[in-house]
Amino acid sequence: MAYDREITQELISVIARFVEEKLRPIEAQVGEDDAVPEAIINQMKELGLFGLTVPIKYGGLDLTMEVECLVAFEFGRTSPAFSSCFGTNVGIGSQGLILFGSEAQKQKYLPQIASGELVTSFCLTEAEAGSDSAAVQTRAQRVGDHYVLTGSKRYITNADRAGLFTVMARTDADVKGAKGVTAFLVERDSPGLSVGKPEKKMGQQGAHICDVYFDAVKVPVENRLGEEGAGFKLAMQVLDRGRLHIASVCVGLAERLISDSLNYALKRQQFGKPICEHQLIQAMLADSKTEAYAAKAMILDAARLKDGDQSITLEAAAAKYYASEMVGRVADRAVQILGGAGYVVDYGIERLYRDVRIFRIYEGTSQIQQIVIAREMIKAAKG
Ligand code: CAA
């Protein structure tokens, strides 16, 4: 839904204050504990963050893509573990239901998703189906009025807290590739469903990924999302939106890193003057600023196209590709500008440097984004 400028501005400033006053002071603690405090998650619920994109009639805020990106810019200014708490509810965990769910499915689940009572996860990736996501092997066999799901999913964000999983599984074993895949809404307490331990990761401590196992899990037919065979396209459309959201978080984090580098360069003296007066430091600051600005402009352009109901497969891939690579370069320069301090834990820059590495990998690697962009160009050229 389109809110007027004043309401949007108010929302953004409430979020900016929350990030500045409540989240940034506990970043290091969250990193050490590998957990976001429950009290913070409750405040996120009160702010309505879990329902940012859920339609108003189901209790959400129904933000446009553009405003969702503005919110993500603000959340990017702190550890990504925080936005990950509600990120799957706003994006990949709920969008399949919002876009393709039946009225009964929406009424059953969306109000609890919007309030944060129900956390959602998106189960596409498997051990043998990473970038090649059409190769999913998890089986969903129709038996009377339900399906039986057998298989496992890998590195699933928020699986440890999730109460509802959007699961892509193969309904037709004879059909290889995308056309044999169907999407399901699977409840956490379904007998046979279990979740592995959170993985130990390079960065983003506080955001958890786990494997999810399906051992003959019975899923009622009414929990199928869309038609049989439509699950792959559903997943790809969900990812189009998710990729723009991730790109926005990358821009927010780049702006944070640039601000930290600039503040350091203003104070740190070498050769008798602040290092910001040295041209080689200026070059790094200028490159980071220019690239972050370019990524922001790309994202806002793509978001407006999406709000105008246009397909943004190419634009979302381009924005995610550019912004995730950009924030990697910005983080690297931030460490360089801080020098030894950039490598020391107390300054927090090395933590953000590790945090941003995954952006080039999840929701489609940079190489997959290149393939998507080129394929869309070729498709358009062929007409
Ligand atoms: N929107 C709508 N339809 C789409 C689409 C899109 N964005 N992308 C593809 N499709 C359709 C195609 O048009 C095609 O339809 P037809 O058969 O009717 O022509 C069908 O889907 C199959 O598409 P492709 O032939 O292009 O499929 P492919 O097997 O060659 O692979 C791919 C395409 C782009 C490589 C895709 O597999 C992909 O994006 N891989 C990366 C997966 C990914 O991002 N994984 C991340 C997992 S989520 C995550 O990271 C979770 C987390 O917790 C953070």
Side-chain angles (χ1 to χ4, degrees):
M1 189 187 125
Y3 289 94
D4 67 24
R5 274 173 80 107
E6 214 174 305
I7 296 179
T8 302
Q9 203 40 57
E10 179 56 23
L11 173 72
I12 301 300
S13 47
V14 166
I15 288 169
R17 246 191 343 266
F18 180 63
V19 168
E20 187 62 30
E21 292 171 9
K22 305 281 184 191
L23 306 186
R24 285 189 56 161
I26 59 165
E27 285 175 356
Q29 179 207 321
V30 166
E32 266 174 43
D33 298 350
D34 194 14
V36 175
E38 219 39 56
I40 291 288
I41 295 178
N42 287 336
Q43 287 174 44
M44 289 174 174
K45 289 179 187 170
E46 280 161 26
L47 285 170
L49 295 173
F50 285 82
L52 290 176
T53 54
V54 172
I56 286 174
K57 72 187 255 210
Y58 305 107
L61 293 179
D62 200 13
L63 297 187
T64 60
M65 189 75 234
E66 185 177 349
V67 179
E68 181 188 336
C69 292
L70 297 178
V71 169
F73 291 155
E74 293 308 321
F75 262 96
R77 293 174 196 279
T78 184
S79 299
F82 292 116
S83 51
S84 189
C85 293
F86 58 86
T88 47
N89 276 37
V90 169
I92 54 177
S94 71
Q95 284 301 316
L97 171 58
I98 291 171
L99 290 172
F100 301 101
S102 66
E103 189 51 38
Q105 289 169 339
K106 290 181 184 179
Q107 282 183 13
K108 184 169 180 191
Y109 297 116
L110 283 179
Q112 296 173 71
I113 292 173
S115 69
E117 200 181 319
L118 190 62
V119 171
T120 57
S121 278
F122 179 75
C123 294
L124 175 63
T125 302
E126 297 180 1
E128 302 304 328
S131 288
D132 184 7
S133 44
V136 295
Q137 291 170 7
T138 295
R139 279 284 282 129
Q141 235 169 334
R142 176 88 186 244
V143 182
D145 61 357
H146 59 267
Y147 290 84
V148 178
L149 266 64
T150 307
S152 61
K153 295 288 174 177
R154 173 141 290 183
Y155 305 152
I156 304 303
T157 301
N158 283 337
D160 53 338
R161 295 193 299 121
L164 186 69
F165 300 86
T166 302
V167 182
M168 268 50 70
R170 187 164 300 283
T171 30
D172 193 337
D174 299 330
V175 179
K176 301 281 172 242
K179 287 193 168 59
V181 177
T182 304
F184 296 92
L185 295 166
V186 185
E187 295 181 5
R188 170 60 169 264
D189 55 11
S190 310
L193 190 155
S194 58
V195 174
K197 277 200 189 128
E199 301 287 346
K200 289 196 169 128
K201 310 192 273 30
M202 175 196 236
Q204 298 212 6
Q205 276 68 33
H208 296 164
I209 55 170
C210 313
D211 288 356
V212 182
Y213 305 99
F214 303 89
D215 181 8
V217 175
K218 276 173 83 172
V219 179
V221 170
E222 59 263 27
N223 274 34
R224 192 183 67 216
L225 209 41
E227 295 304 313
E228 273 197 14
F232 183 81
K233 284 190 191 178
L234 174 148
M236 291 300 116
Q237 280 169 267
V238 165
L239 285 169
D240 281 348
R241 187 176 185 122
R243 287 169 181 167
L244 211 47
H245 185 100
I246 291 198
S248 308
V249 175
C250 292
V251 164
L253 253 169
E255 288 178 342
R256 155 74 183 276
L257 287 157
I258 293 165
S259 151
D260 286 0
S261 317
L262 178 59
N263 286 336
Y264 185 85
L266 285 164
K267 290 191 196 109
R268 169 82 173 155
Q269 302 255 343
Q270 286 294 278
F271 302 103
K273 56 184 178 183
I275 61 169
C276 68
E277 303 292 337
H278 295 295
Q279 288 187 343
L280 292 179
I281 298 288
Q282 290 178 351
M284 285 193 275
L285 288 168
D287 283 355
S288 291
K289 184 75 186 170
T290 304
E291 292 177 22
Y293 179 49
K296 194 171 198 170
M298 283 173 86
I299 291 163
L300 290 174
D301 180 64
R304 285 170 196 146
L305 290 175
K306 172 111 182 104
D307 289 333
D309 276 338
Q310 293 197 43
S311 162
I312 55 154
T313 301
L314 183 152
E315 290 78 5
K320 200 267 185 183
Y321 173 41
Y322 184 76
S324 62
E325 295 282 338
M326 175 278 295
V327 75
R329 291 191 293 273
V330 169
D332 191 63
R333 290 186 200 113
V335 173
Q336 198 67 16
I337 292 168
L338 269 83
Y343 201 68
V344 165
V345 169
D346 290 354
Y347 289 80
I349 297 293
E350 65 80 36
R351 177 170 30 78
L352 296 176
Y353 176 86
R354 288 184 284 106
D355 284 349
V356 304
R357 187 61 184 86
I358 191 63
F359 291 131
R360 281 181 266 169
I361 298 170
Y362 66 16
E363 295 203 24
T365 61
S366 290
Q367 291 67 33
I368 288 296
Q369 310 308 334
Q370 288 174 301
I371 287 168
V372 171
I373 296 162
R375 281 188 184 178
E376 289 297 308
M377 290 166 65
I378 293 163
K379 204 164 47 172
K382 285 185 175 170

